[in-house]
Amino acid sequence: MKNFNWVTGLFIISYHILLFSLLPIYIVMASPSIAIIITAIVLGAITSLGITAGYHRYFAHRSYNLNKIGEIIVMGLGALSVQGSALQWVYDHRLHHRYVDTEKDPYSIKKGFWYAHMGWLFKKNKDIDPVVVPDLIKNKIIMFQHKYYGWLVLATNLAVVIVGGIIFKGLLGAFVLLFLARLFCTHHTTWFINSWAHTIGDKPYSQEHSAVNNAVLAFFTFGEGYHNYHHTFPSDYRNGVRWYQYDPTKILIWILSKIGVAQKLIKIEMP
């Protein structure tokens, strides 16, 4: 147990227990309105895009440039998503790409589906090697978020619950749907990239690694399911490169480039 990540592990276990305990009670007692359900879905989509477009394609892979206002927004959404600080998230992800499918891969699929999905989160974080994230270490916004991450998580999510409770006239509903259910859905869809996207799908671009393309997963992860392409060309701001491939994250980044928030989008020219 000395390697157990007590903070992360207990948080994940606790919110799952709370969700499955309180959700049936809330549904029976309050009959949630369509409005609060839609709000939970929209809020989940916004925070997920903060991870896919911000943490992943911008900070982890530098597939485009983002101005400081954009970075601050990503830091806020990162706290709201409760997926770790940008520094820790990017550090783990860069190691994953560098050592994919090996012992040094933090969430290697070779250790099993559920280990890659969420089991690795229960292990104590290793010290962050500055050599892996030198660009982030120099970023004051990222270091501020990393230092005060716990407080930012508490502040942003508490604000959502309180404001949601006032708007929808019930703190229980806001807590269950806008916090617990939202986290459950956004966490597991993100984690499926580490598990499902390394298990079930096709490999049209590269056979050297376990990453696969899966259109169904792409639908639920805002385009991240085209994972074989991503592991083959990680610097591309797109994951879905064909016109018919669902990738709203690339559309968001493209829109941000048109209004001056994002610049220098990296695009691999496909035959």
Side-chain angles (χ1 to χ4, degrees):
M1 296 297 289
K2 66 179 181 180
N3 291 322
F4 186 77
N5 189 328
W6 288 99
V7 174
T8 301
L10 289 179
F11 176 77
I12 292 173
I13 292 170
S14 298
Y15 94 70
H16 278 75
I17 292 173
L18 280 172
L19 175 63
F20 291 119
S21 300
L22 294 177
L23 184 58
I25 296 173
Y26 171 64
I27 292 174
V28 172
M29 290 179 58
S31 298
S33 66
I34 295 298
I36 194 171
I37 293 173
I38 291 175
T39 301
I41 293 172
V42 171
L43 187 61
I46 291 171
T47 54
S48 290
L49 284 168
I51 296 297
T52 61
Y55 272 24
H56 188 208
R57 302 192 197 185
Y58 173 59
F59 282 120
H61 296 293
R62 296 297 186 182
S63 62
Y64 64 99
N65 290 345
L66 192 63
N67 64 24
K68 291 301 179 182
I69 294 176
E71 288 189 354
I72 292 172
I73 292 173
V74 169
M75 292 300 98
L77 293 176
L80 193 58
S81 71
V82 200
Q83 293 195 28
S85 70
L87 184 66
Q88 185 66 59
W89 198 102
V90 171
Y91 177 72
D92 291 333
H93 192 71
R94 287 183 179 177
L95 289 180
H96 168 63
H97 273 263
R98 183 177 297 183
Y99 302 112
V100 63
D101 300 331
T102 70
E103 186 63 31
K104 292 183 179 180
D105 181 350
Y107 29 90
S108 174
I109 195 65
K110 301 299 182 182
K111 296 181 181 180
F113 183 93
W114 288 108
Y115 179 86
H117 185 72
M118 61 188 297
W120 69 280
L121 292 165
F122 293 86
K123 293 180 64 176
K124 187 179 294 183
N125 292 329
K126 294 181 179 180
D127 292 337
I128 293 174
D129 184 353
V131 173
V132 180
V133 285
D135 52 326
L136 305 192
I137 297 287
K138 297 175 183 177
N139 189 312
K140 293 181 179 179
I141 297 173
I142 286 182
M143 297 310 295
F144 177 87
Q145 190 223 33
H146 183 70
K147 182 177 181 180
Y148 299 105
Y149 188 71
W151 291 108
L152 292 171
V153 166
L154 180 63
T156 53
N157 284 279
L158 188 61
V160 164
V161 171
I162 292 174
V163 173
I166 294 171
I167 293 174
F168 298 108
K169 297 179 174 61
L171 285 175
L172 178 61
F175 180 66
V176 172
L177 293 182
L178 302 185
F179 180 65
L180 296 177
R182 169 177 60 86
L183 286 194
F184 178 85
C185 293
T186 56
H187 280 180
H188 282 280
T189 50
T190 298
W191 299 341
F192 271 130
I193 297 299
N194 305 331
S195 53
W196 190 356
H198 282 268
T199 307
I200 305 170
D202 62 336
K203 297 182 178 183
Y205 298 100
S206 177
Q207 301 290 322
E208 287 76 27
H209 47 75
S210 61
V212 297
N213 277 7
N214 188 302
V216 175
L217 185 59
F219 178 79
F220 292 103
T221 57
F222 301 94
E224 300 287 84
Y226 299 109
H227 211 49
N228 185 257
Y229 179 85
H230 173 63
H231 266 269
T232 308
F233 305 105
S235 62
D236 197 325
Y237 84 94
R238 308 162 301 165
N239 277 9
V241 294
R242 304 302 182 187
W243 67 267
Y244 53 82
Q245 292 177 324
Y246 181 77
D247 186 3
T249 300
K250 76 177 178 186
I251 296 173
L252 172 63
I253 296 170
W254 180 83
I255 292 173
L256 292 177
S257 72
K258 296 305 177 183
I259 61 176
V261 177
Q263 305 86 28
K264 299 181 179 179
L265 280 56
I266 296 176
K267 182 178 178 180
I268 306 298
E269 294 299 332
M270 300 301 296

